[in-house]
Amino acid sequence: MFFNSLLTNFAALEVGQHLYWQIGNIRLHGQVFLTSWILLGALLVFISLGTKKMENDPKGLQNLLEFLWDYIRDLARTQIGEKVYRDWMPFIGTLFLFVFVSNWGGALIPWRLIKLPSGELGAPTADINTTIALALLVSLSYFYAGLSNKGWRYFEYYVHPTPIMLPFKILEDFTKPLSLSFRLFGNILADELVVGVLVFLVPLILPIPVMFLGLFTSAIQALIFATLAAYYIGEAVEEHH
Amino acid sequence: MLAFNFFGATEGGLFDINATLPLMAIQVVALTYILNSLFFKPVGNVVEKREKFVSNNIIEAKNKLSEVKKLEADLLTRLQSARTEAQRIVSEAENESDKLYKEALELANNEANASKEKARLEIESQTSAARDQLSKQADDLSELIVNRLILEK
């Protein structure tokens, strides 16, 4: 049957297959670490090259890095506020760069040409473990930011402006990491799947606009993730009167 | 039929959560520290140093500009006072020359009047002298005529 054969063909995309690494009795998704090391290595090399010879009149790569730095600072400053944005700028910037590099690396590099014994290489952010790890780090960060800035007064936030808000604010603590992780995971995985299916069905021209859309989505998702993380931290350190 | 094995039970699947999660979290935290020392701090130092330099220069330029404006205003007042001074000097000189002109005119008038008076007196004396002479000559002539007439008779 045609439908059935289509499904078996889809299976060639190897959705949900992983390259397992066994260390002791813990199991890891090897393909996630492989791609993330390659991409982060490239990022670090790029940054080292750009910051090797810093000058007062920026040239070449330094210009680009300064633009990036300025962009991240603006993002952190508008969301977190003038007072504490400096403490959180490296974290927000790392989230942005990590997600951006992972998304674009997953979309731009033809990983499928590299054959693995099981699973396939792709964007590290298309793995639920990565996105949950990032989202939980964001949760920890905003709790830490709130508690370290305001002490126990942080919990005033839960009954602000009225105590009626208490259950909703507690619920938010769970929905925030959930929405952060699943938004990123879903967008990137969906993009990879759509491109994969289209390449599989029509290997010429047709996937190209979808690939461009994927690049757009990837960049937007990185921006959304970093902006929301900064917004949550800003919300936690905000002083209400 | 279930070729996807979506919610993979024991092995694999899209929602297969395992030790990748904490290790990835540790990796991201490590990356934060690495990027902080490799990227955010050095670039931030350079950018903020430049921003400080630029803002200092702007402040300095503003100070200089206000100084220039002050000097300009000062010069303007000095120019104004110089102008009024010049005007004063000019009008003074005009008055002076007017006075001198008037004095000279008066002197000349007086002199002219004096010489006119002198001339008039002279003319008068000469006229009277001429009249005396004329009347004396007339007397002589009349006497002569009288004598002649008497002699003929």
Side-chain angles (χ1 to χ4, degrees), chain A residues 16 18 20 29 56 73 86, chain B residues 11 13 16 20 48 50-51:
Chain A
H18 304 289
Y20 280 101
H29 290 170
N56 216 11
R73 178 179 65 171
R86 271 162 201 286
Chain B
E11 187 79 332
D16 177 33
T20 310
E48 274 167 0
R50 186 182 314 122
E51 276 171 0

Side-chain angles (χ1 to χ4, degrees), chain A residues 64-95:
Chain A
L64 189 61
L65 287 181
E66 282 188 10
F67 169 75
L68 197 61
W69 187 90
D70 211 42
Y71 184 75
I72 291 167
R73 178 179 65 171
D74 281 353
L75 199 157
R77 189 155 58 183
T78 45
Q79 299 298 334
I80 300 179
E82 199 66 52
K83 230 173 83 187
V84 288
Y85 84 91
R86 271 162 201 286
D87 302 338
W88 292 100
M89 201 188 129
F91 179 62
I92 300 300
T94 305
L95 284 179

Side-chain angles (χ1 to χ4, degrees), chain A residues 30-198:
Chain A
Q31 85 277 14
V32 177
F33 284 108
L34 280 178
T35 39
S36 73
W37 290 340
I38 294 168
L39 293 172
L40 295 183
L43 175 69
L44 289 180
V45 166
F46 177 74
I47 280 171
S48 317
L49 284 179
T51 53
K52 202 167 58 185
K53 217 172 65 196
M54 301 280 274
E55 284 167 55
N56 216 11
D57 300 332
K59 285 189 194 75
L61 269 188
Q62 195 195 334
N63 250 327
L64 189 61
L65 287 181
E66 282 188 10
F67 169 75
L68 197 61
W69 187 90
D70 211 42
Y71 184 75
I72 291 167
R73 178 179 65 171
D74 281 353
L75 199 157
R77 189 155 58 183
T78 45
Q79 299 298 334
I80 300 179
E82 199 66 52
K83 230 173 83 187
V84 288
Y85 84 91
R86 271 162 201 286
D87 302 338
W88 292 100
M89 201 188 129
F91 179 62
I92 300 300
T94 305
L95 284 179
F96 177 76
L97 287 176
F98 181 81
V99 175
F100 184 78
V101 165
S102 297
N103 291 352
W104 268 44
L108 281 177
I109 301 171
W111 297 105
R112 271 169 243 278
L113 298 180
I114 305 164
K115 291 272 176 261
L116 294 181
S118 165
E120 58 189 14
L121 297 175
T125 36
D127 189 284
I128 190 81
N129 289 287
T130 311
T131 60
I132 291 181
L134 293 174
L136 287 182
L137 283 179
V138 171
S139 289
L140 287 179
S141 304
Y142 77 71
F143 270 111
Y144 175 75
L147 288 173
S148 66
N149 269 280
K150 302 199 289 189
W152 294 110
R153 280 197 309 108
Y154 166 63
F155 293 104
E156 281 174 6
Y157 158 75
Y158 286 85
V159 291
H160 188 269
T162 70
I164 301 166
M165 294 302 287
L166 181 65
F168 303 106
K169 296 260 169 127
I170 291 173
L171 197 63
E172 264 192 348
D173 282 335
F174 293 97
T175 55
K176 275 172 185 171
L178 208 65
S179 62
L180 269 183
S181 55
F182 275 77
R183 180 186 306 111
L184 183 57
F185 167 68
N187 272 289
I188 304 309
L189 183 76
D191 174 52
E192 280 196 355
L193 284 182
V194 167
V195 172
V197 168
L198 273 182

Side-chain angles (χ1 to χ4, degrees), chain B residues 20-143:
Chain B
T20 310
L21 196 161
L23 275 181
M24 189 53 91
I26 292 168
Q27 185 172 303
V28 172
V29 171
L31 182 69
T32 305
Y33 283 100
I34 294 170
L35 281 184
N36 189 30
S37 62
L38 221 64
F39 174 47
F40 292 106
K41 261 194 195 141
V43 175
N45 283 342
V46 169
V47 171
E48 274 167 0
K49 209 177 84 191
R50 186 182 314 122
E51 276 171 0
K52 201 175 273 175
F53 174 74
V54 168
S55 73
N56 278 350
N57 272 7
I58 287 174
I59 289 170
E60 207 174 301
K62 269 184 186 157
N63 284 346
K64 276 185 181 161
L65 191 67
S66 71
E67 206 172 304
V68 163
K69 276 194 178 144
K70 221 169 63 189
L71 285 177
E72 202 186 0
D74 189 38
L75 278 181
L76 219 62
T77 53
R78 276 165 69 176
L79 192 66
Q80 205 77 39
S81 66
R83 259 196 202 132
T84 51
E85 176 75 13
Q87 220 141 31
R88 195 182 60 75
I89 289 172
V90 166
S91 68
E92 217 168 68
E94 267 173 0
N95 284 346
E96 187 91 353
S97 70
D98 217 33
K99 214 175 81 192
L100 283 178
Y101 168 72
K102 271 180 187 156
E103 270 175 19
L105 190 66
E106 210 177 276
L107 204 70
N109 267 346
N110 286 347
E111 212 165 292
N113 279 347
S115 63
K116 212 159 85 185
E117 188 67 24
K118 207 173 116 194
R120 197 179 59 81
L121 286 177
E122 203 169 312
I123 288 168
E124 232 162 63
S125 73
Q126 277 180 12
T127 312
S128 71
R131 201 173 278 144
D132 285 350
Q133 201 179 351
L134 202 61
S135 72
K136 198 180 144 219
Q137 278 178 358
D139 282 351
D140 287 349
L141 201 58
S142 62
E143 205 175 324

